[in-house]
Amino acid sequence: MSTTTTGKTDKTDKATQDLQDVVAKISGWPEPYATIGTRLHETILAAGPKLKPRIWYGMPGYATSRTAPVVVFFRLDGDTMSLGLSEKATVAREPGTTLHPSAWFLSEIDDATLAKVSELVRTAFS
């Protein structure tokens, strides 16, 4: 691994580029999805400050390292935004069933939803 004159490694530069790619992807979405995506991105990183964002299947994904499996992601498909947990997430079964919650649709964002996202992120990476 090479080091730049500022002492940063190529790995740090790649992580910075990954973050910039995610922010650029989100900012390129039409409203209200750019705002929803920005708030989701900020909430995910606040709930998991050691998480590393990157583009995953063309959309924002979050993992514990640049090469670790993505656990939390969100995507915009046309006019449908979804938040999801990959099979690598720690998720409890829904009470009384064998179902594990793994995806939610969003058309707007509020503080209660962001609080739930924070909880999901903290649990998913535990």
Side-chain angles (χ1 to χ4, degrees), residues 72-94:
V72 175
F73 61 91
F74 58 93
R75 61 185 307 107
L76 179 62
D77 294 311
D79 62 353
T80 302
M81 178 168 264
S82 58
L83 169 72
L85 304 174
S86 76
E87 73 282 359
K88 302 296 184 185
T90 301
V91 182
R93 287 183 183 176
E94 289 182 1

Side-chain angles (χ1 to χ4, degrees), residues 17-122:
Q17 184 62 53
D18 286 344
L19 174 61
Q20 290 171 349
D21 291 347
V22 167
V23 170
K25 180 69 171 184
I26 295 166
S27 67
W29 290 340
E31 288 299 340
Y33 304 109
T35 297
I36 295 170
T38 297
R39 293 193 69 196
L40 284 173
H41 172 75
E42 292 167 350
T43 299
I44 291 167
L45 290 181
K50 293 183 179 182
L51 297 179
K52 306 296 183 216
R54 68 176 185 255
I55 297 297
W56 185 66
Y57 291 107
M59 295 291 165
Y62 301 81
T64 56
S65 74
R66 189 167 197 275
T67 58
V70 164
V71 175
V72 175
F73 61 91
F74 58 93
R75 61 185 307 107
L76 179 62
D77 294 311
D79 62 353
T80 302
M81 178 168 264
S82 58
L83 169 72
L85 304 174
S86 76
E87 73 282 359
K88 302 296 184 185
T90 301
V91 182
R93 287 183 183 176
E94 289 182 1
T97 74
T98 60
L99 294 171
H100 295 257
S102 64
W104 300 263
F105 294 110
L106 299 121
S107 58
E108 57 187 296
I109 199 86
D110 59 18
D111 290 340
T113 302
L114 292 172
K116 180 65 177 180
V117 169
S118 290
E119 177 187 326
L120 289 167
V121 169
R122 286 190 295 274

